[in-house]
Amino acid sequence: MTKLYGQEDATYQAAGEFDGIKKLVDDFYDIMSELKESQHIRQMHPDDLEVSRDKLTRFLCAWTGGPRLYREKYGPISIPQAHAHLTIGSAERDAWLLCMKQALAKQNYPQDFQDYMITQLAMPAERCRNAD
């Protein structure tokens, strides 16, 4: 029987486990750096994205049901608290989701998985919104 996304580690497996998530994150930050629509959120990040890439990769591993790599390296995280120092409104949330949607489309993921991921990622993206 096939596990559904969101059950146990099915999402982590569907995302390609660590290597697949790392590729997704690398594409995400590359897109963020290139898109005109995301320049304002790119400026919220350091020039060197190495740590940002590592943190998001590790976070998404656990978030998708895989190993808790973020916690192992950086400790526990509250997504809204981690972003509270930034002004995040609807435009910033939407720009972040646009970058993630385009990064998901670059992967070899079935459309239903892409749709599932963007729907699920919209929740923490909205929780980070602290303006508007």
Side-chain angles (χ1 to χ4, degrees):
M1 176 179 236
T2 304
K3 289 186 263 181
L4 299 175
Y5 305 137
Q7 292 183 356
E8 299 173 10
D9 67 347
T11 304
Y12 179 69
Q13 289 179 25
E17 300 181 352
F18 181 87
D19 291 339
I21 291 171
K22 181 170 183 349
K23 183 175 180 331
L24 172 66
V25 167
D26 285 342
D27 287 341
F28 167 79
Y29 279 113
D30 290 348
I31 290 165
M32 182 188 290
S33 295
E34 295 165 3
L35 273 186
K36 180 185 73 148
E37 299 91 336
S38 61
Q39 288 313 294
H40 60 294
I41 63 171
R42 175 60 181 92
Q43 293 170 1
M44 294 178 174
H45 293 78
D47 290 341
D48 183 346
L49 291 171
E50 183 179 348
V51 172
S52 298
R53 289 173 189 263
D54 185 57
K55 284 183 173 183
L56 184 55
T57 298
R58 289 169 175 275
F59 171 78
L60 288 177
C61 283
W63 186 80
T64 57
R68 297 178 172 268
L69 301 176
Y70 186 97
R71 180 180 289 267
E72 288 175 11
K73 184 170 183 179
Y74 299 106
I77 185 171
S78 163
I79 294 296
Q81 284 179 332
H83 295 85
H85 66 288
L86 302 168
T87 301
I88 300 174
S90 298
E92 290 76 19
R93 175 203 61 207
D94 293 348
W96 191 93
L97 288 168
L98 175 64
C99 295
M100 187 55 75
K101 186 172 186 173
Q102 289 191 15
L104 285 162
K106 287 186 76 169
Q107 312 313 304
N108 191 26
Y109 296 152
Q111 188 62 51
D112 71 322
F113 183 67
Q114 293 178 50
D115 295 343
Y116 172 81
M117 285 291 288
I118 205 68
T119 299
Q120 295 303 307
L121 286 165
M123 289 182 252
E126 174 59 25
R127 290 182 57 223
C128 290
R129 191 171 59 82
N130 57 20
D132 280 358

